Structure formats: C-alpha cells, structure tokens
Amino acid sequence: QWKGSVPRVSLSAETRLALGRYPFIFRISDAAWQEVTEAMDGTPSVARAFDDEVVKRFRLETERSARELVEDQVQSLSPADFAKLVYGVLGGMGLRTCVTPAGPDRPRMVVASPDGLSLSAPRIRVDIRHLPGAVLSATDVRTFVQGLGTGESGLLVTSGGISEDARQELERQHANERGRPNVTLMDVSRVVQGLMSHYEALDADTR
C-alpha cells in the first residue's frame, strides 16, 4: 500500500546513505535466494574468493555511494555557496566568470569566458538556480534560451534535477530555429561530475 513521499533533502544523511539516491524494488536471482535460505537453515556453503567481476562491481558501488554523498552535500549548500561552487568548477574548466550586479533596468548577469572579460569566445551566459528537490521545467528552459543575446551560448545550472519536458524543450529550441544559441543544461549530478573530473585544477576555496 502506497503511504506517500517525502523530499530526499528532508532526510538525515544516515538515512539518505542507507536508502541510496535511487531506491527501487528488486528481485534477487534464484541462485542467490537459494544461497540465502541455505545460510538461514544453517547449511554450510563453500567460501569463494572475490573474482575480478565482483571486485569491479564493489568498486563501482563504492564510487556511486561516494558520488551520492557529495551530491547531498552540494544540495545542502546555501544559494550563495552553491553559486560559488559552480564558479569554481567553471574555473577548473578554464573559464572565468564575471558577475554584473542587478540595476534598475537590468537583472543580475553572470557571464563566463576564457579571459573573464567576454572579449574572447566562447561567451557563455550562466544562470544558476538552487533548487534541491525540484526540477527544471520546459518553461525555465524556454525563458532562458529566449533571453540570450546574439553570439551568446548558455549554461543553465540547477542543484536539483531536469525534467524530461525541459530536455525535450531544449531539443525543440535547437531544432526549430537556425542559428539558435548553443545551450547546455547542468543538474547536480553534472556539477559533481565536473567537480571530481577537474578537482586538481580547482582553486583552494572551491576544494
């Protein structure tokens, strides 16, 4: 019987680790179930050494658990600290960010470029949204793409997830209009991937 649902971020770190990031119902193999029942009945089993495949699966599971822990920590950051983390990851990728404060007739703007001055390509408009437990919608993507200037690429970053409608909307934007700016969506998993892949190139504050 379905009891309900709660946001993952509302749970303690211990419970999130116990559940994993993507809980699901599963059925173990007949051979595994037979071994479990024999063990419960007290039937001795022959101990087998770990083969390469078992070691590989264990390593992948350990890496997955570590990545989930980092994702949870990223989602627990404040909006300001999450933005700093994204700036740091972009810096590790060789980009410098320039933040233009909001004015009476313009919104706050973040632009990333190789020189930090937007004088060399690519010039990337960055929109960072701290949305743990939520997902980007098709409207979010459409509004962002339509707000890009001539010659600008776009990077829409979220600490949450990306809905399938949002991904399809991005595909439509790319396909429907020739010359539409190049846009990339980055969810919390891709932020962490960038963090880990470029860790050695990160500045001390980001580390």
Side-chain angles (χ1 to χ4, degrees), residues 87-104:
Y87 300 156
V89 171
L90 293 177
M93 296 177 177
L95 296 170
R96 298 182 181 180
T97 53
C98 176
V99 181
T100 303

Side-chain angles (χ1 to χ4, degrees), residues 3 19 50 60 69 91 110 112 118 120 137 145 174 176 179 187 200:
K3 297 294 185 181
L19 291 175
F50 287 125
L60 292 176
L69 178 59
V110 180
S118 301
S120 58
S137 67
V145 172
H174 283 164
N176 290 345
D187 60 10
E200 295 301 325

